[in-house]
Amino acid sequence: MNSYASGNLQSSIFNHQWLWAALGLILLAVSSAGILHGVRAGLAHVLYFQAKYGSARDDADRVLRLAERAHGLYPCNYNLCILAADAANPASSVRDRDESARRRALAERWCGTGLKLNFHQRQLRRLKTRLLASESLQEAVRYWEDYVEWQFWDPYNHAVLVELYGRAGDFEKARRSLNWVVGSDRYEEALGAFQEAWSREQRLTEPSGTPP
């Protein structure tokens, strides 16, 4: 074998060795990234279960702290967003206006984060509707109507419309929505919401008559 052929052979062997070394490094990097991702996701789920089922579950601030840590490790769990948004949502017992505003902002942020992950998730859409209703009932109605157009055949969604229309004083639409709840396990609740709204309307206006 002449020196030229020998040089080409050595160069080919070197190139192949370099190629295998590069492939090995790539596989090592991918494996390491996968392991790191798995570890982070596992830790995030541990924190999520601590917040939802552990001793922190009755303490909204602790739930929110755990949620922040979990989300920082693994930002793809929309169930975590539901948990945090519910924890942040200010209850009627919160009388301090600044605290209520702070909690509302947190609820809106978590709700928005969750909806980016799963735009049609019903719990998040329902919470968003409640948050909107506290500022603008008409906007809340429009928002839930859009959701019902996408998920029309679920009686629960129409039951929510009955409640919203009743609160808005639109009893004709409330009655039509109530018809879509007939025969479901949501009917009694929806009917009660309709009758309560109608009674409230009657007390305010004091006309005689029956629901439309």
Side-chain angles (χ1 to χ4, degrees), residues 2-3 18-19 33 48 80 84 94 99 104 129 143 147 152 154 183 206:
N2 58 39
S3 60
W18 181 89
L19 177 62
Y48 167 69
L80 174 70
V94 178
E99 176 62 12
R104 177 186 167 82
T129 301
Y143 183 79
Y147 178 69
F152 186 84
D154 189 335
E206 295 185 352

Side-chain angles (χ1 to χ4, degrees), residues 2-130:
N2 58 39
S3 60
Y4 177 78
S6 176
N8 283 342
L9 177 62
Q10 290 176 350
S11 176
S12 177
I13 292 173
F14 174 79
N15 287 337
H16 278 82
Q17 288 175 337
W18 181 89
L19 177 62
W20 284 112
L23 288 173
L25 288 173
I26 292 172
L27 288 174
L28 178 62
V30 171
S31 299
S32 298
I35 291 170
L36 179 60
H37 177 78
V39 169
R40 290 171 66 91
L43 290 173
H45 277 84
V46 169
L47 293 171
Y48 167 69
F49 278 96
Q50 285 181 355
K52 187 169 185 177
Y53 302 111
S55 59
R57 65 183 183 275
D58 295 323
D59 186 332
D61 288 331
R62 288 182 63 193
V63 168
L64 291 169
R65 286 196 295 271
L66 288 169
E68 290 284 0
R69 291 170 58 192
H71 187 70
L73 291 167
Y74 181 72
C76 300
N77 184 359
Y78 65 81
N79 287 313
L80 174 70
C81 298
I82 294 171
L83 178 67
D86 278 336
N89 191 27
S92 59
S93 58
V94 178
R95 300 301 182 188
D96 184 86
R97 293 181 62 183
D98 291 339
E99 176 62 12
S100 181
R102 183 186 74 84
R103 295 277 293 275
R104 177 186 167 82
L106 281 173
E108 288 180 338
R109 179 169 68 83
W110 278 109
C111 193
T113 300
L115 287 169
K116 288 179 182 177
L117 295 171
N118 188 343
F119 184 70
H120 292 298
Q121 212 289 326
R122 188 171 71 182
Q123 286 175 267
L124 289 167
R125 296 281 295 220
R126 183 72 179 100
L127 177 57
K128 177 70 173 179
T129 301
R130 290 200 299 267

Side-chain angles (χ1 to χ4, degrees), residues 149 160 176:
E149 286 183 10
V160 174
R176 290 201 300 266

Side-chain angles (χ1 to χ4, degrees), residues 122-161:
R122 188 171 71 182
Q123 286 175 267
L124 289 167
R125 296 281 295 220
R126 183 72 179 100
L127 177 57
K128 177 70 173 179
T129 301
R130 290 200 299 267
L131 291 169
L132 287 172
S134 66
E135 298 292 329
S136 170
L137 185 55
Q138 294 302 322
E139 188 174 347
V141 169
R142 286 192 295 270
Y143 183 79
W144 192 256
E145 285 175 335
D146 288 341
Y147 178 69
V148 176
E149 286 183 10
W150 179 80
Q151 192 75 315
F152 186 84
W153 299 109
D154 189 335
Y156 172 84
N157 298 333
H158 292 280
V160 174
L161 276 180

